[in-house]
Amino acid sequence: MSRTLAFLGLGAMGWPMAAQLARHTKETGGRTLVWNRTQAKADAHAREFGSEAAALPEVAAADVIFSCLPTSAEVDEVLTALGGQLRAGAVWVDCTSGQPEAARRQAAGLAGRGVAFLDAPVSGGPGGAAAGKLTVMVGGDTAVLERVRADLAFAAKVVHVGDVGAGFAVKAINNTLMAVNMWAAGEGLAALARTGVDLHAALDVINASSGRSYPTEALIPQRVLTREFPVTFQLGLLAKDAGIAAEVVQDARASAPVLTQVAALYRAAAHSIGAEADYSAALKLVEQMNGTEIK
Amino acid sequence: MSRTLAFLGLGAMGWPMAAQLARHTKETGGRTLVWNRTQAKADAHAREFGSEAAALPEVAAADVIFSCLPTSAEVDEVLTALGGQLRAGAVWVDCTSGQPEAARRQAAGLAGRGVAFLDAPVSGGPGGAAAGKLTVMVGGDTAVLERVRADLAFAAKVVHVGDVGAGFAVKAINNTLMAVNMWAAGEGLAALARTGVDLHAALDVINASSGRSYPTEALIPQRVLTREFPVTFQLGLLAKDAGIAAEVVQDARASAPVLTQVAALYRAAAHSIGAEADYSAALKLVEQMNGTEIK
Amino acid sequence: MSRTLAFLGLGAMGWPMAAQLARHTKETGGRTLVWNRTQAKADAHAREFGSEAAALPEVAAADVIFSCLPTSAEVDEVLTALGGQLRAGAVWVDCTSGQPEAARRQAAGLAGRGVAFLDAPVSGGPGGAAAGKLTVMVGGDTAVLERVRADLAFAAKVVHVGDVGAGFAVKAINNTLMAVNMWAAGEGLAALARTGVDLHAALDVINASSGRSYPTEALIPQRVLTREFPVTFQLGLLAKDAGIAAEVVQDARASAPVLTQVAALYRAAAHSIGAEADYSAALKLVEQMNGTEIK
Amino acid sequence: MSRTLAFLGLGAMGWPMAAQLARHTKETGGRTLVWNRTQAKADAHAREFGSEAAALPEVAAADVIFSCLPTSAEVDEVLTALGGQLRAGAVWVDCTSGQPEAARRQAAGLAGRGVAFLDAPVSGGPGGAAAGKLTVMVGGDTAVLERVRADLAFAAKVVHVGDVGAGFAVKAINNTLMAVNMWAAGEGLAALARTGVDLHAALDVINASSGRSYPTEALIPQRVLTREFPVTFQLGLLAKDAGIAAEVVQDARASAPVLTQVAALYRAAAHSIGAEADYSAALKLVEQMNGTEIK
């Protein structure tokens, strides 16, 4: 069966994800349409990977439409722009790190036109996308997931986590756990720095002990101790994700004093350090709060 | 050179650590004296590993005295009991998860009798001790460390982290990072449980993503989801460690809102769930706070 | 000009507020209709204060409709029930401690039918209502406020604080500040109790010093030290208000680590102590967390 | 009976307190010795109030010695300098906002020389001191308190709160409650500012409602909204007081997540805004964290 896939949003993640789709449809005899707000980027993608640059209305013809945009607000915009053009029987797969409440609203709107919706955010970073090794956490109907599972060419692991919105909820919690683990490690290292402990030695020990986490093993050694803070994922987007986690907590009438405190601190970091900085630069606020450097 | 080592405190960690020392001195022609508050335990250790059960005054004759006790208060007690009997030239290696301030005070007291002091807490758990694979974080003089390095038979990795007290500081921070990572994961999972997400699926995703940490990879799946909470490390001791981290922060005039909040929450868990419960049972307080179970 | 007022919701606050309206319209030659989910309460109000018990559709004829319900969800329900029956030119004054987002949505919906909306939550408690001495914080158009100002017979102080939703936002922040001040005082007293300080003496000092607040001056001496915890305002409703404050913070992209932490703790108290308990019973969770009593 | 009083430390509080003592001893036929690190200040005090400037050794002759210094560390310094010169039967009354642990240590040291000790910190500010209207919270033996009660000429209210150290503990908790109440109000106002609410109107409402506290009634209107932040009590000293509260909590094995979080935030403010700024300038950190001004 020849499939037409569409991919909306060729950012740091979307670009390599769409490349995997193009490779996949080339092998299976289908087509991959790509759209980006800046058209030139779509043209470049087509030249490099054999996808087809499309105007927004054209993607309405696809069997499966993937979106990977900064926030749910941009997904709302493309949905509004596409209006009634989507065709019944299509599946919309939103890989944005979006809001569960938006997913439920969008799914309800699309259902009225006969279009199914899955929230399907990913983890693994641009490297994982380029290698086709992403993890996808899917919210929505399992039967719908089965209709598109073979199309998720960018994924090494696909996990169904619940109803519509559950994918976004798990993604927001995951990113916020990472944010907590990084911030706490920053606090601990700043305190140790003030007592004269060598931080490379401290991290060496922690990474051989129970305090280890992804930030102590990778982010802090590579981005903070080096003072490089290379921008691969913006601080403002992580603050947004932590805010979504706070919404998940609030909507569930849950009690999460640590997650919500940390969400507040990342919001503070985005305001005071800059939303465009790398997310690891949140620790610059920890440094200011402690009058010391983590190096 | 024939060495006499002494080991004080044959608890969950001390028992296998002292066994490693006994194996080591057997190979190198030395002796390992063991002392425990309950004498029968020392006798049993001697029978099983070829160490020698000793009365407290007898350990004063050792070249190197190791202590591994619940808190710095018990170390103070044995130091007081030994009084002036320690001999000049000996080295005291305290593997307790102790307080930096106590280490500085104890080191100063011992220095007056010509005894050197290292704070040398360990990580790796009873399993790591039995395998001789512990990580040791050492505070104190590097020359003193070199005098005893060959005696650290329970260690796979020895890291000098700073002056006297620095080992305890790093250990307290490490354990508190673990405590933060576990508590935050508990909050996130409780919120997801309230929204109907399957927690096994959520952990599956998190452990393939950036939110992973030692508690999400090992503790929560093995101890919490199973509802077993097996007691291997008491909640009260972890609350004590987090309290030491709070002291480190306070003494350094550092600012650590997340670490100190979490220290307060573990203290609350020790009060409300019970100090003798397993440390993973701290998440029972998270469950009560959320009116749900993490399972 | 003879005015017809309607009042929906005869709870602890609504009952005396509606009584003030009835007294006022008796003096000015108008009518006050009252509606309550339980009709018998409206009948009793009519007998006692000369108001008129009304069925829900009948209130649609009023010039000004006041609502004072547990949450915005109940306001949504009565709005839906009244459907298209409201008449153009009426003003809806919602005295509920509601959600700003709901206010904006409700105002937009009513505007389509020619009905103006003000969010106008109150403070001062049942006693203040009975005395006609409430403070009203009003969000919405100032011209609309002037059209109903003379009808606010329960108020001693009316403050316009901003656009639609601003009244609810200020109310939520006010209640959350009270919640913070009470919780912090509870923590401080619990710590002092554990050190053997007499809490009556401590409160005597604090209330003559800079640490004083409404909870230390009134709530804790009257409700907690006495161990009475009389139910006048439910803990679950205060947890809801703190949750609204958290939504205000999130919607404003603000950073409020203390407010959001305390919102989480009140949610925890509602789950573990009980949502129907008096709001001062939140300090029972503080007591459990500290293994002591505040008395 | 003619009494000789001594007062050490003529700062913002000590200067008017010592003036009250001088007035009192003039009336009762005694003497008031004053000492200050900068001798010129003591000379000026003597000229203005009829006290007698004294060298440090001379104060050892007094019946009652008052100290009012920045921290317990400075009290340790004068105690060391006075060495064995204090005479048995004297009473040392420390009005510093000191550390309970230091009080216990100092009291034990003085007891060995026959000198009694009371920790007696005050509240009411320089204005209260000048009017002789301070509140004094006293820790120590009640019999000792009775021996000096008539000498507390700067006090309108004297409350015995417990054993040695209890006065300092209550003072630290009081100041930290004020700090919590101010910070929380700052967060709430910053969030409201971001939503377009007029902050003068918001404070007008809050101060007529349950959210009111000393900071909302006095500090924020007078110091923050005016953008004046006049330096009357240094931010670094309030951060120190909050740190003492954290020590009280830790020593008592209490759980105070809000107090300790706020202690961390004031430490952060002292590092990032400056320890010499007025304590109300802590809200400048709230402003930075929110990208807005409280005005």
Side-chain angles (χ1 to χ4, degrees), chain A residues 235-281:
Chain A
L235 176 52
L237 290 177
L238 181 54
K240 183 254 321 175
D241 288 344
I244 294 175
E247 291 172 1
V248 168
V249 167
Q250 167 70 6
D251 290 349
R253 302 295 177 256
S255 171
V258 174
L259 298 191
T260 49
Q261 182 196 23
V262 168
L265 294 169
Y266 276 83
R267 182 69 68 196
H271 280 303
S272 63
I273 305 299
E276 282 77 31
D278 187 60
Y279 65 122
S280 61

Side-chain angles (χ1 to χ4, degrees), chain C residues 199-279:
Chain C
L199 297 191
H200 292 82
L203 275 172
D204 188 17
V205 166
I206 289 167
N207 286 329
S209 303
S210 57
R212 69 176 181 273
S213 64
Y214 175 67
T216 62
E217 292 175 326
L219 297 179
I220 293 174
Q222 294 165 9
R223 296 175 183 231
V224 182
L225 294 191
T226 61
R227 313 307 296 164
E228 290 182 0
F229 306 100
V231 182
T232 63
F233 177 50
Q234 291 187 356
L235 176 52
L237 290 177
L238 181 54
K240 183 253 321 175
D241 288 344
I244 294 175
E247 290 172 1
V248 168
V249 166
Q250 167 70 5
D251 289 348
R253 303 294 177 258
S255 171
V258 174
L259 299 190
T260 48
Q261 183 196 23
V262 168
L265 294 169
Y266 276 82
R267 182 68 69 195
H271 280 303
S272 63
I273 306 298
E276 283 77 32
D278 187 59
Y279 65 123

Side-chain angles (χ1 to χ4, degrees), chain A:
Chain A
M1 183 191 66
S2 165
R3 299 271 275 180
T4 300
L5 309 180
F7 200 99
L8 313 185
L10 301 172
M13 288 302 292
W15 178 274
M17 288 168 75
Q20 291 291 339
L21 296 194
R23 180 191 53 70
H24 171 68
T25 50
K26 196 177 300 177
E27 292 171 10
T28 57
R31 304 167 57 201
T32 293
L33 311 178
V34 293
W35 173 87
N36 196 66
R37 190 179 296 258
T38 311
Q39 159 95 33
K41 214 161 178 184
D43 293 337
H45 196 276
R47 281 193 302 275
E48 185 162 348
F49 301 110
S51 54
E52 304 172 37
L56 197 50
E58 296 173 313
V59 307
D63 299 294
V64 187
I65 302 164
F66 294 86
S67 49
C68 191
L69 297 165
T71 74
S72 287
E74 284 85 5
V75 179
D76 277 332
E77 286 174 24
V78 295
L79 283 169
T80 301
L82 281 167
Q85 305 170 61
L86 292 166
R87 54 182 202 69
V91 180
W92 190 290
V93 181
D94 188 14
C95 301
T96 301
S97 290
Q99 294 167 276
E101 173 276 337
R104 288 188 287 268
R105 182 170 41 73
Q106 292 161 351
L110 288 167
R113 305 185 226 162
V115 177
F117 177 94
L118 298 173
D119 47 307
V122 297
S123 75
K133 299 284 193 193
L134 294 178
T135 296
V136 191
M137 46 212 94
V138 182
D141 194 77
T142 52
V144 175
L145 172 56
E146 293 317 312
R147 285 163 55 198
V148 302
R149 188 184 283 272
D151 301 315
L152 304 173
F154 42 73
K157 184 183 186 83
V158 176
V159 183
H160 182 262
V161 293
D163 295 336
V164 166
F168 288 162
V170 171
K171 170 76 175 176
I173 294 295
N174 174 77
N175 283 18
T176 306
L177 293 183
M178 186 274 290
V180 170
N181 299 354
M182 180 163 68
W183 187 279
E187 286 186 356
L189 292 172
L192 290 175
R194 289 184 64 87
T195 67
V197 170
D198 179 77
L199 298 191
H200 293 81
L203 276 172
D204 188 17
V205 166
I206 289 167
N207 286 329
S209 304
S210 58
R212 70 176 181 271
S213 63
Y214 175 65
T216 63
E217 292 174 326
L219 296 179
I220 294 175
Q222 293 165 10
R223 296 175 183 232
V224 182
L225 294 191
T226 60
R227 313 307 296 164
E228 290 182 1
F229 306 101
V231 183
T232 61
F233 176 49
Q234 292 187 356
L235 176 52
L237 290 177
L238 181 54
K240 183 254 321 175
D241 288 344
I244 294 175
E247 291 172 1
V248 168
V249 167
Q250 167 70 6
D251 290 349
R253 302 295 177 256
S255 171
V258 174
L259 298 191
T260 49
Q261 182 196 23
V262 168
L265 294 169
Y266 276 83
R267 182 69 68 196
H271 280 303
S272 63
I273 305 299
E276 282 77 31
D278 187 60
Y279 65 122
S280 61
L283 296 197
K284 289 186 181 179
L285 178 53
V286 174
E287 295 178 330
Q288 289 178 13
M289 292 170 69
N290 281 281
T292 192
E293 282 198 341
I294 298 168
K295 67 181 181 186

Side-chain angles (χ1 to χ4, degrees), chain B residues 30-74:
Chain B
R31 304 167 58 200
T32 292
L33 311 178
V34 293
W35 173 87
N36 196 66
R37 189 179 297 257
T38 311
Q39 159 95 33
K41 215 162 177 183
D43 293 337
H45 196 276
R47 281 194 301 275
E48 186 163 347
F49 301 109
S51 54
E52 304 172 36
L56 197 51
E58 296 174 313
V59 307
D63 298 296
V64 187
I65 302 164
F66 294 86
S67 49
C68 191
L69 297 165
T71 73
S72 287
E74 284 84 5

